Each structure stands twice: as C-alpha cells, then as structure tokens.
Amino acid sequence: MRTHPMKTADGTTAMRDVFIAETGRLLDEEPRTALVLADISAGHGRFADAAVKHPDRVVNVGIREQLMVGVAGGLALTGMRPVVHTYAPFLIERAFEQVKLDLGHQGVSAVLVTVGASYDWAEGGYTHFSPRDVALLDTIPGWRVVVPGHPDEVAGPLRDAVLGDEPVYIRLSLRRNATPQPVTDRLTVLREGSRAAVVAVGPMLDNTLAAVEGLDVTVAYTANVRPFDVTGLRMLGHDTIVVVEPYLAGTSDRVLRTALADRPHRLLSLGVTTADLHAFGTPDDHDRWHGLDPAGIRAAVGDFLH
Amino acid sequence: MTSTGYATARELVSRTVVDVRYPPNNYTFDLLWVLYDRILAVTPQTAEHPHRDRLLLSKGHGPGAYYAVLAAKGFIPVEWLDDIASAESALGGHPDATRVPGVEISSGSLGHGLPIGVGQALGLRAQGITRPRVYVLIGDAELDEGSNHEAIAYAGAVGLDRLTVVVADNGSATHGWPGGIASRFAANGWTTATAGITDHDALTAALRADTPGRPHVVVATTNPTED
C-alpha cells in the first residue's frame, strides 16, 4: 500500500489523532466515559495507554461490530457514556440494525466516531467507502451529525458530545480544508454574493471556494449538518441554493427543501454518486470521478446558474 | 414444587394471547417463573435500582408468559393482560422497555439481547457495582443469529462472570445444534448446566451453578434426555 488508511501522508495531525487524544483526556476526566472498539485504532498509543489506565472502560471486542454496538447499548443502559469507533461502513452499515435497535429504540444513546468517510482510503476500494452513512442515520430519529472539515474542528464537538446525552455521529476524514472554521450550530457565512448561496459541508469547503472563485455567490460553511441550521439557511436570503456535501449527493435534499417549502426556490445538491466504480487511485481521483473536484463543482454550479 | 402465586400466574398466561403462532401455554412460563420467584434480586420497588439483577428477554416472541409473570409479581397491573397490543396498550407483541415497568430491553429482532447484556455486565463492573447478575434469555433458534456468537466468544475470553445466559431450548433451530448447545459455550470458556425447562428445582440448581471468573449458561430444554 502506498498510503496508510488513517494517517496523513505528510505526517501532520489527522482528525483521528485529535479524536484519540481528546477521548483519552475524557476517559481520564469523566468516569462515565467508556470507549468501545472493534480492533480499529486499538493499537494507537494513546488508546493503548488508556486501556491500561482504565481497563474496565476501554473495551475492545475484537472484530465484532454487531457486538460493539450492542455492548455500547448495554453500557448506556447502566448509565455509562459510550464512545464507539471504527471504520464508517463497518459501524453504520454493517451494524445498522444495532445502531437502530440497541441505542435509540432502548431509550439510550452513544457517540459514534468513524474514520474512512466516503473514500479516504481510495486504495482500499469500495468495501471501505461509506458515502451513505449520513443518509442512513437520517432514517432514524434524533441523531446529531458532525462532519469536521479540519482537525481543529474535532475536539470541541467531541467533548460536547461525550459530556452530553444526545445521540451524536462524528464523521472523521483524512480530507481537510487548509484552515479551520469555528464550529457552531449556525451556518458560517464566508463571503456574500447575489446570484446564489453555496453551502459547503465539512471537507468540501476548499474545493467549493476554488470552484466558485470569481462567481457572484454567497458561500456558507457548516460542520454541523444535523440538525441543519435551517434558520440560517433562510436568513441567507437566497432562493437559489447549492449544497456541496462530502457524502451521498442529495443526502440533505429533503431537509433543505422542507426548510424552504414555503418559498419558491431552486436547489442543486452535489455530493458523491451511488456508482460502484470498482476503482482505486487517490481521494482526489474519486473527487474528480464524482464531480467534486473544483472543476466538477464549477461546471455543475455554472450550468445551474446558466 | 410451586410457590405461592404459581397457580395464579399460570392462570394469567391464558389471558395473554398475543400471537396466534405461540399458544398461551407458553413453554417458557416455568423458566420465567423460577427466575422471578427464586433467582432474580429485583422487585417492582427496585426495578430501576442500579444494584438490581437484570433479566433481558432477548427472545421477544410470544411474550405472554413474560407479561403474566410480571403481572403476578406486581411489576404491571393484571388488567394490562386483557388488551395486549391494542392501540392503548403498553404491552405489545414484543416487549417495549420504554413502556413497561420491569422490562429491561425492547426486543423482537433476534440476537440483540446477549450483546446488550454483555454491555450491561461491563457497565456494572466499570462502576464497581459487583453484586448484580445480568441474565439473558434466548431461544435455541435465536442462537442462529451470528451476533450471539460474537458475544459468546468475547464474554468467555474476558471471563465476564456476572453474566448468565439461559437458552430456552425447544428444539426449534432449523438446522439444530449437533453436539449440543452447551458445547458452543463451553468451547469459549463458559460454565454450563442443563435442566428440564419445567423442573423448578433443577432449573434453580442450574442457575446457581455459576463459577467466579467465567460466564455461565443454562440450557433449559423441553427434552432433558436429549441434551
């Protein structure tokens, strides 16, 4: 393999590194916190240390994702706050019935933190791609979804999630923007224009900014996609909206159209297609194949604005 | 032997026809009775107490006997048994823990109770709550679900000794369990015991035959000569 599935190529801090360090601190500080793993990241130094310090609260069940989520439900039923972590497809897709039944249906919740995103480890191929995770979580009630766009956008939402009681999904990625944005519940307006509002989600911001350079459009950013800041969306004051998401295209379509149902509007939803490309390469290659590189976004937005 | 209330509870089962496929004379009745009458340290007053014993009815199908025992033991009003699964009823064709006092988990889809029970046993241990046991009742056909085998392997490997699985074995697994159900658990380090599913004293002894450092399984069978 030419690339590590979960580490940055240049050795800089990845979102996962921040997650692991902050979870280690939360395990030290907050006795309610429990960490449930299915081997992935268990060997990372900080987690290995935490397992020694907190052997009853760091649980590695082996490569058993159904059990991992069931165990999280059981821990929560006894009053613990479980943080559950593995590759996105193995947690959200493989163990989806456990996510549906062993948490919310039991009246409890957990913090789910995944790596892999839509095609972080492009060399690994389709089995490790999870573009449909947020769409799946949209089919069950109550999930807060955080899609950080930079490693500095991880610790705050993670800490809030662990100290709270909501069901929270944090979708980590190796894709990142050059600079962090403040993580708030509101859309952050980065620039204003007159022809349309373009909302970039998480790691899609830099490609989006490059794509719309020179276009007279508003650009807004969010890492908090559920609940979506529909009030902020309406306050942008545009009836022509583009959303650029790093997961399945159209994932937020229903949410945005519902928010805008009482006013005439046009909506373009860009994201990852459902195609199984049977292809490897790099994440940049997949951006290009799904039309999410700057040129692809530019072309789609240009067509939409005529 | 029968305790006070056994006959009454047995009578209550006939009020609970919730699924035409499972007759009210439910084969798990005696097993559930023994658990609530002799084994579980839980009462209606302690049903939310952190130090209670927990019974997770993973096999949520045909819960008539379960509801009857809960009513006989005072967890729910007896009158609830008369309109199970109606629009107003908290008692459904599968138990809903968010609506029924004394019910520990919402079940129905098979293979969820044991992983949750493993999590509960871990959660209690992590909080220094060492007295309670977590009991999970599963069916022999439910054991087909792979999630159970994830849990059996893990709980045995880590010696989760506040966990007891009770397998209600009425020989309904489509492909059977050649070599016996208990052997699946024993191979993973569990202690095992077998008893007739209506033999109160044998069930009691089997349920009390756990050993420190190892999870325990009781195979409660409708055919004690076979296992």
Side-chain angles (χ1 to χ4, degrees):
Chain A
M1 292 300 169
R2 288 184 288 180
T3 60
H4 187 282
M6 289 169 279
K7 293 180 181 170
T8 55
D10 58 4
T12 54
T13 301
M15 291 185 197
R16 186 185 72 137
D17 301 318
V18 179
F19 155 64
I20 288 172
E22 189 67 11
T23 301
R25 280 189 282 275
L26 286 159
L27 284 161
D28 289 343
E29 294 167 17
E30 183 53 57
R32 243 180 107 222
T33 311
L35 173 66
V36 192
L37 302 172
D39 276 357
I40 295 292
S41 299
H44 191 287
R46 186 65 179 86
F47 273 174
D49 291 347
V52 172
K53 274 166 84 177
H54 311 290
D56 286 344
R57 292 191 286 124
V58 177
V59 176
N60 179 10
V61 300
I63 305 168
R64 298 185 173 95
E65 289 83 9
Q66 296 183 75
L67 177 63
M68 173 178 65
V69 181
V71 160
L75 287 165
L77 282 166
T78 67
M80 306 286 288
R81 182 62 166 160
V83 177
V84 187
H85 166 69
T86 187
Y87 248 85
F90 311 145
L91 204 168
I92 302 299
E93 296 177 20
R94 189 185 190 114
F96 186 68
E97 194 187 60
Q98 278 73 22
V99 172
K100 179 183 73 169
L101 295 182
D102 299 354
L103 297 170
H105 186 55
Q106 305 298 336
V108 295
S109 68
V111 182
L112 311 183
V113 183
T114 66
V115 290
S118 290
Y119 37 71
D120 274 5
W121 192 38
E123 290 181 19
Y126 193 67
T127 56
H128 285 58
F129 295 173
S130 190
R132 58 194 70 73
D133 50 355
V134 178
L136 275 168
L137 285 176
D138 271 347
T139 65
I140 47 179
W143 284 88
R144 176 175 285 276
V145 177
V146 186
V147 183
H150 186 280
D152 290 358
E153 297 170 28
V154 173
L158 174 69
R159 177 163 286 265
D160 289 347
V162 172
L163 298 181
D165 279 308
E166 282 184 309
V168 182
Y169 178 52
I170 302 179
R171 184 187 205 260
L172 306 181
S173 180
L174 285 171
R175 316 310 304 284
R176 50 170 286 181
N177 306 311
T179 55
Q181 298 296 327
V183 179
T184 73
D185 289 344
R186 312 300 305 271
L187 290 177
T188 302
V189 178
L190 299 175
R191 50 174 261 204
E192 299 200 62
S194 65
R195 297 189 65 199
V198 181
V199 179
V201 171
M204 294 316 304
L205 179 59
D206 280 2
N207 280 7
T208 302
L209 285 169
V212 301
E213 199 175 327
L215 294 180
D216 180 19
V217 297
T218 292
V219 176
Y221 173 78
T222 188
N224 275 309
V225 289
R226 297 291 181 277
F228 197 92
D229 177 21
V230 292
T231 306
L233 178 76
R234 290 170 65 90
M235 283 169 55
L236 295 177
H238 284 276
D239 56 13
T240 301
I241 309 280
V242 179
V243 60
V244 188
E245 301 181 283
Y247 35 76
L248 203 63
T251 295
S252 293
D253 228 72
R254 180 182 52 80
V255 173
L256 302 189
R257 289 193 188 281
T258 302
L260 300 169
D262 64 335
R263 55 166 85 163
H265 64 273
R266 298 174 66 229
L267 174 63
L268 174 67
S269 293
L270 301 180
V272 181
T273 74
T274 55
D276 177 0
L277 300 172
H278 294 276
F280 306 98
T282 67
D284 283 340
D285 292 327
H286 286 261
D287 275 355
R288 194 171 68 255
W289 296 330
H290 291 282
L292 293 174
D293 61 326
I297 297 169
R298 174 93 183 188
V301 172
D303 284 351
F304 188 60
L305 301 181
H306 321 110
Chain B
M1 100 121 213
T2 57
S3 308
T4 309
Y6 174 81
T8 311
R10 182 117 213 138
E11 192 63 30
L12 290 175
V13 184
S14 64
R15 287 167 71 162
T16 65
V17 186
V18 295
D19 187 330
V20 292
R21 296 170 300 166
Y22 302 92
N25 190 10
N26 194 304
Y27 74 98
T28 56
F29 173 78
D30 284 274
L31 174 57
L32 286 161
W33 178 261
V34 167
L35 281 161
Y36 276 92
D37 196 55
R38 299 189 183 181
I39 302 293
L40 299 172
V42 63
T43 66
Q45 291 71 40
T46 62
E48 300 291 327
H49 196 284
H51 292 255
R52 71 188 183 279
D53 284 340
R54 290 150 174 84
L55 174 74
L56 280 56
L57 184 76
S58 185
K59 185 199 82 66
H61 300 344
Y66 183 46
Y67 293 153
V69 172
L70 289 175
K73 289 296 180 185
F75 290 91
I76 59 174
V78 171
E79 298 73 41
W80 284 18
L81 303 178
D82 294 329
D83 73 332
I84 291 175
S86 77
E88 292 75 32
S89 177
L91 305 181
H94 297 122
D96 188 327
T98 68
R99 298 193 63 188
V100 187
V103 171
E104 296 286 352
I105 58 163
S106 302
S107 52
S109 178
L110 298 175
H112 287 264
L114 183 46
I116 293 174
V118 168
Q120 289 192 333
L122 290 167
L124 294 169
R125 187 176 74 184
Q127 295 170 77
I129 302 172
T130 55
R131 199 218 55 79
R133 284 192 85 77
V134 178
Y135 296 81
V136 184
L137 198 164
I138 66 178
D140 64 303
E142 181 179 11
L143 207 52
D144 290 354
E145 294 284 3
S147 53
N148 291 307
H149 299 274
E150 294 187 3
I152 291 165
Y154 172 75
V158 299
L160 204 57
D161 62 359
R162 303 309 294 169
L163 178 68
T164 294
V165 166
V166 185
V167 182
D169 176 14
N170 63 343
S172 62
T174 296
H175 298 288
W177 293 104
I181 288 170
S183 69
R184 268 73 187 178
F185 291 83
N188 287 287
W190 294 53
T191 54
T192 73
T194 298
I197 201 164
T198 58
D199 185 337
H200 292 201
D201 290 338
L203 285 170
T204 304
L207 287 161
R208 289 181 175 152
D210 58 280
T211 305
R214 299 168 71 181
H216 185 56
V217 64
V218 173
V219 180
T221 174
T222 55
N223 187 352
T225 57
E226 210 176 56
D227 217 53

